[in-house]
Amino acid sequence: MRLHGRIATLLVAGAALAACSGGSGGSGGYDGSGGGGHADAGTPRTPSTTSAGLRWSPPRQGPERPAAGTATVSRERHGRDLNGDGYDDLAAYDKDRINIVYGSPHGLDPRTRTTVRACLLKPPVPAAEDVRLVRADLDGDGHTDLIADFSGRRALVLWSGPRGITEVSDLPDQGAVETGDFDGDGHADLFRLGTTETSSGTVAYGPLRRDGAPARRQDLKDPPPGKDSVPYEATAADIDGDGRTDLAVRMRWTDPESEGDGDITDTGLWVHRGGSGGLRYDAGRSGPHVLGRVGVPADVDGNGTEDVTEVTFLAFRKELHITTQRGEDREGHTTVLHRIPGVGVRAPDFGGTKGLAIGDVTGDGRADLVVGADQANNNQGLVLLLRDAAHPAEGHLQAVDLESPGVPGEDGRYRRTRLAPVAPLLDVDGDGHLDVVATARWGGYWTLPGRTPAWTHPAPAASPAGSSTDPAAPPALRGRGTRPGPPARTRPEPAARTRPEPAARTRPGPRLSAGPGPLSGAGRLSPGA
């Protein structure tokens, strides 16, 4: 799409990245070009193989280092600011790289970045694209650390300090990772999901040493998951508002007859309440027929307790299902939205969601919901914003993709962009408003800054395929940016290049929901391979 103004590209991780060799003793895990000299003293310059068989390169810094921050600021920003300089930082997983881009007064600055590259060995982890990055101050130094959860089979900790990520180590044991303060002592605790029929999982109470040793451990084996059942997912949330994180663990059938039919029938939900002595089993809210408690924790309705929200996109029905279980409610409430802007413009659509995050993007004091339909529109992807998540309605939806006015880039004709937001929501420029940061499958990021809305009336109902019913509605995004790289590498639009649409295929109006949207500002792009 043609852009107004000067739009340039910003590189996220640089052209030259560290390469991991296939053996456990090879070199080549570190690339010192540019920022290698800025690494902290003592940073290893050769790759290491963890006890879990995960080969990682030392953190690669640069070409510039982020401003030195403080632990106090990092705590105040609720885990979003890794180095404590007052600006939230992006952490994203791309193929085998963990990329951290630090915030600044002008937003994310790719000149101040850290890259850790992990090669999956012995054996490779399936579905590596689903690597989760969890934020928590594990060692209690006030700076938020990153836990990279490789499908529950392996986990790395990227330890943070005043200058950001400076050290990497692996966590012992296996099991998916959840974090919270389960005993209310002010230290982050680490839960690892159980993998057998004998235990729901283990809790490592913080603070943790950097070798992974906790202050104490708790094995949640009373009661056990049960015969032919194993834990398969967990959600940590403070559902009663007492300041101690509670934990819900869902069990599934283990297919003991080896039928191989893909049946993962739920066999129960085990709820553990947080308390001064740690987690304790809540028999009244647990059992083989209890449902719910799976999703993203956030205080959706502003009553001081964390709710659990799950979002599903059903492509064949063109429906968005939003299920929220409020506080201590025993069941969730599901709202189905049928008119989803931006969906169906480029067939086929595929289901699934990615990057669910909840926070006040619009600045009106109410929690908004952001989620990606990354396989919609023939895998090009959409970023969906639902204003006022406590009261979901079709007129509150806004959609953004690479064909939206003011967004740098365009949908790939021969590649799958898979545009999707990255959780959590971040205030990358320190202006007090949460921003949406989205990434693509082939690399790069886009910053979609939030702002206080300039309207006081509700938006009109959304039109089919995301066309606007309000011709005066301004575009929700305006692209701007600068590039720190060589000035000769730009991406001007060729004057003769056009993209005519087939006669039967129309794209009416801007690819947004009806009415003005809260997202405005800079879109930033890495060109990818």
Side-chain angles (χ1 to χ4, degrees), residues 280-335:
R280 66 189 187 281
Y281 180 67
D282 186 347
R285 294 185 176 274
S286 306
H289 305 293
V290 181
L291 301 177
R293 296 281 174 231
V294 174
V296 172
D299 185 4
V300 172
D301 51 15
N303 67 350
T305 65
E306 286 191 311
D307 314 305
V308 178
T309 302
E310 183 179 22
V311 178
T312 304
F313 171 53
L314 302 181
F316 67 100
R317 295 181 181 175
K318 302 294 190 289
E319 292 177 353
L320 198 67
H321 291 219
I322 302 167
T323 301
T324 300
Q325 192 166 357
R326 305 289 178 92
E328 296 190 89
D329 290 353
R330 293 180 179 272
E331 296 182 358
H333 175 74
T334 299
T335 300

